[in-house]
Amino acid sequence: KAGVTQTPRYLIKTRGQQVTLSCSPISGHRSVSWYQQTPGQGLQFLFEYFSETQRNKGNFPGRFSGRQFSNSRSEMNVSTLELGDSALYLCASSFDATNEKLFFGSGTQLSVL
Amino acid sequence: GNSVTQMEGPVTLSEEAFLTINCTYTATGYPSLFWYVQYPGEGLQLLLKATKADDKGSNKGFEATYRKETTSFHLEKGSVQVSDSAVYFCALDVYNQGGKLIFGQGTELSVKP
């Protein structure tokens, strides 16, 4: 059974650009959540989607957005990139609406120059 | 608000030493508690969990007991191996409705042969 797949693995952008990250959950999983990981702030929750609906959102500015498709794949978008957006972005999927078992991808390392 | 506090790292131990990583939490209601592990270059993996007071989670020789009276969920292992070198995250889930886990800062463990 394939795990959670995130693409691309590495990304380099410049300030002001926008970026789209992709996450393919484990087959059959309907919940996808996104986290930002930085050395200073640790792991912070961005948002969570279940059956194409955003159910939870963390305390991030509106430049951070996401969506989920009917096949449960998810994308997150960051517009007008800032240096502070440099981070490892992790996606996690689970079968149902609980946190009983989250499966994480290896992440997308975003560097903003 | 809800938060998780972990002991600071890095923690350096010799192989076969006893491991304790402290984790305390602040939460409203009755959270579920988790330990996740992150190996270099990888995403997080669920190590163990406990969903109610006095529950003991265990996996791969690691254990943690949910102590409501001390709001703690300390991770222990009787004999660590070099392969246990990783970053360990304590996390809580208050909402139990998917996605939104609150993580501690992480504790880096290095085990020397």
Side-chain angles (χ1 to χ4, degrees):
Chain A
K1 196 174 190 181
V4 178
T5 303
Q6 290 188 246
T7 55
R9 185 72 180 89
Y10 300 95
L11 207 47
I12 299 174
K13 292 286 187 180
T14 56
R15 279 184 301 173
Q17 287 186 310
Q18 76 164 24
V19 67
T20 299
L21 312 181
S22 178
C23 172
S24 294
I26 290 173
S27 177
H29 285 194
R30 295 184 295 166
S31 170
V32 173
S33 50
W34 290 87
Y35 289 81
Q36 182 195 63
Q37 185 177 20
T38 60
Q41 300 297 317
L43 280 152
Q44 293 186 288
F45 173 76
L46 281 155
F47 28 66
E48 186 253 349
Y49 289 86
F50 184 81
S51 294
E52 300 180 69
T53 300
Q54 185 182 91
R55 298 193 306 161
N56 282 307
K57 190 176 191 306
N59 296 323
F60 279 81
R63 299 185 297 106
F64 292 81
S65 63
R67 58 178 175 169
Q68 186 179 33
F69 302 95
S70 59
N71 62 359
S72 293
R73 191 177 71 83
S74 176
E75 289 181 347
M76 68 163 281
N77 185 277
V78 187
S79 62
T80 319
L81 284 166
E82 301 177 0
L83 295 179
D85 297 333
S86 295
L88 180 66
Y89 290 88
L90 292 167
C91 166
S93 75
S94 64
F95 174 72
D96 57 19
T98 72
N99 275 324
E100 287 300 299
K101 193 154 189 179
L102 285 183
F103 292 83
F104 281 81
S106 297
T108 294
Q109 183 68 54
L110 172 65
S111 298
V112 182
L113 306 179
Chain B
N2 303 308
S3 66
V4 176
T5 302
Q6 287 181 237
M7 65 185 285
E8 288 191 22
V11 174
T12 303
L13 296 173
S14 298
E15 207 165 21
E16 299 184 2
F18 185 85
L19 168 71
T20 299
I21 300 178
N22 291 337
C23 170
T24 57
Y25 67 90
T26 301
T28 54
Y30 303 95
S32 295
L33 300 172
F34 305 83
W35 276 101
Y36 279 83
V37 58
Q38 186 176 32
Y39 297 101
E42 298 183 13
L44 279 70
Q45 301 175 24
L46 177 65
L47 183 58
L48 53 84
K49 66 182 182 188
T51 57
K52 61 182 187 297
D54 300 325
D55 267 2
K56 177 185 282 189
S58 61
N59 185 27
K60 300 180 181 180
F62 291 90
E63 292 183 339
T65 301
Y66 188 146
R67 301 284 188 202
K68 194 169 188 301
E69 62 276 13
T70 55
T71 62
S72 66
F73 192 54
H74 304 322
L75 182 68
E76 296 182 336
K77 187 176 185 183
S79 176
V80 293
Q81 305 300 313
V82 173
S83 58
D84 293 327
S85 298
V87 181
Y88 293 81
F89 292 91
C90 184
L92 69 85
D93 169 25
V94 177
Y95 304 98
N96 195 33
Q97 58 180 359
K100 189 173 183 176
L101 288 178
I102 297 170
F103 286 90
Q105 285 293 99
T107 301
E108 182 180 358
L109 170 66
S110 177
V111 181
K112 305 297 185 186

